[in-house]
């Protein structure tokens, strides 16, 4: 495999059973995740179309067509896609994609399957799945963990919510870029699983920020300190992913904005009308999540995390 498409695709999947004859796939959003996902699907022999509003991405997929203008409805029809894979930045972007004139809500036809890799709220996933079902289409919420490097290497973990037949329908496709596919339940369950994942990594990243601040106060060489930690029990995927930014001066104050946005979604999901016996536990979780958000913003926390 030669040329630009090969440059960022590791472990090409030529010959993967069932994919060489797969119906066309439309990938919407060719950003840091969508582009390597589309490249891996191309490498597996899948007929791929791309769609992105940025004109400079017109030639992002050599050998495939990338649309940079026009209604999404027309892109779905022109590509004759059986599956639409969405990789946009957040829930607001997904809502715009859905509601725009000629948007996704007008493109759904019986039998088409939409796979949404965006991290959204659970209610949003339920809304999209219900409206897709009314059109006779399938919807799978499939948020991802593993970042751009995982997309390029095909080692992503996908948390899936949707009907079993829909999940099985897209499993071969997703296996081209995911090493782990976990069906957590009906629509919305994938998003609930992703938010659970974000709570876990928020704790790790808040700890890394606090450790960086403490090392600086002690006058330590932060890069060498990270070398020592990475060789011991503090090593983690998050450390490997963010250590370059954490040890750079001046520190990037926006480094974890994406994670703080996800924690805000988590807070929206905490129940507000539960019995008093349960409310205490919910309040404790609420306080810990706010503390994590504070630590990810400026390295401080109140009330205590633990």
């Amino acid at each position: 495999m030669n040329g630009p498409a090969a440059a960022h695709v590791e472990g090409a999947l030529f010959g993967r059973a069932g994919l060489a004859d797969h119906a066309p796939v439309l990938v919407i959003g060719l950003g840091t995740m969508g582009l390597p996902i589309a490249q891996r699907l191309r490498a597996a022999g899948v007929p791929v179309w791309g769609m992105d509003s940025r004109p400079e991405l017109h030639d992002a997929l050599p050998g495939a067509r990338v649309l940079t203008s026009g209604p999404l409805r027309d892109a779905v029809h022109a590509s004759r896609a059986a599956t639409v894979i969405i990789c946009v930045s957040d829930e607001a972007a997904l809502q715009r994609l859905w509601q725009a004139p000629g948007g996704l809500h007008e493109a759904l036809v019986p039998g088409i399957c939409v796979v949404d890799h965006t991290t959204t709220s659970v209610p949003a996933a339920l809304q999209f799945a219900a409206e897709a079902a009314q059109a006779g289409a399938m919807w799978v919420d499939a948020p991802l963990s593993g970042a751009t490097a995982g997309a390029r290497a095909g080692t992503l973990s996908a948390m899936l919510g949707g009907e079993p037949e829909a999940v099985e329908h897209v499993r071969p496709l997703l296996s081209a870029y995911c090493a782990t596919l976990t069906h957590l339940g009906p629509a919305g369950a994938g998003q609930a699983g992703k938010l659970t994942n974000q709570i876990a990594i928020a704790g790790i990243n808040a700890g890394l920020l606090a450790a960086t601040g403490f090392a600086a106060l002690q006058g330590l060489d932060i890069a060498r300190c990270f070398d020592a930690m990475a060789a011991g029990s503090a090593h983690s995927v998050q450390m490997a992913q963010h250590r370059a930014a954490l040890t750079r001066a001046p520190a990037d104050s926006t480094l974890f904005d994406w994670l703080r946005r996800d924690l805000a979604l988590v807070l929206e999901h905490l129940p507000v009308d539960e019995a008093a016996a349960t409310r205490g536990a919910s309040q404790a979780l609420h306080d810990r999540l706010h503390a994590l958000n504070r630590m990810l913003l400026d390295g401080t926390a109140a009330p205590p995390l633990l």
Side-chain angles (χ1 to χ4, degrees):
M1 182 178 179
N2 298 311
H8 299 295
V9 182
E10 304 169 21
L13 301 173
F14 294 111
R16 181 180 288 275
L19 288 188
D21 298 322
H22 200 282
V25 171
L26 175 64
V27 179
I28 302 174
L30 298 178
T32 57
M33 297 296 286
L35 182 56
I37 284 172
Q39 289 171 331
R40 287 197 65 87
L41 289 169
R42 283 274 299 150
V46 178
V48 174
W49 287 53
M51 187 172 190
D52 196 288
S53 60
R54 293 165 290 183
E56 64 270 22
L57 293 176
H58 185 271
D59 299 318
L61 285 172
R65 187 170 180 186
V66 175
L67 304 175
T68 57
S69 63
L72 193 158
R73 174 196 58 213
D74 294 352
V76 172
H77 293 165
S79 64
R80 303 177 66 86
T83 305
V84 176
I85 294 175
I86 302 175
C87 298
V88 294
S89 57
D90 54 27
E91 185 174 319
L94 182 60
Q95 291 282 7
R96 290 193 296 271
L97 199 69
W98 182 271
Q99 297 170 359
L104 185 57
H105 71 290
E106 296 182 23
L108 298 178
V109 295
I112 197 170
C113 186
V114 179
V115 178
D116 178 32
H117 289 319
T118 315
T119 298
T120 74
S121 65
V122 173
L126 293 172
Q127 168 209 333
F128 293 128
E131 295 190 27
Q134 289 178 0
M138 296 177 281
W139 183 279
V140 177
D141 50 289
L144 302 167
S145 181
T148 305
R152 291 173 177 166
T155 57
L156 293 171
S157 173
M159 290 150 269
L160 310 177
E163 295 301 317
E165 56 269 28
V167 170
E168 291 310 308
H169 177 78
V170 299
R171 187 179 292 275
L173 273 180
L174 271 59
S175 295
Y177 51 92
C178 296
T180 303
L181 300 169
T182 307
H183 186 197
L184 293 175
Q191 297 297 350
K194 175 62 182 286
L195 295 179
T196 302
N197 180 83
Q198 300 309 78
I199 295 170
I201 67 171
I204 296 169
N205 285 318
L208 289 171
L209 272 178
T212 303
F214 180 79
L217 286 174
Q218 299 304 308
L220 298 177
D221 182 316
I222 297 176
R224 294 189 67 188
C225 194
F226 267 78
D227 287 341
M229 292 191 295
S233 58
H235 173 72
S236 68
V237 171
Q238 294 301 305
M239 176 185 284
Q241 185 173 335
H242 300 300
R243 64 178 292 178
L246 288 167
T247 56
R248 188 183 304 129
D252 181 1
S253 61
T254 66
L255 179 61
F256 294 115
D257 279 1
W258 57 275
L259 188 50
R260 297 182 67 244
R261 182 182 67 229
D262 291 348
L263 286 182
L265 281 178
V266 172
L267 288 167
E268 292 176 8
H269 286 74
L270 292 182
V272 294
D273 56 352
E274 53 195 345
T278 310
R279 192 177 303 123
S282 179
Q283 185 62 49
L285 177 57
H286 184 277
D287 291 345
R288 288 190 175 95
L289 289 169
H290 271 297
L292 281 172
N293 243 344
R294 179 71 181 272
M295 285 192 72
L296 289 169
L297 178 63
D298 60 13
T300 65
L305 284 171
L306 301 177

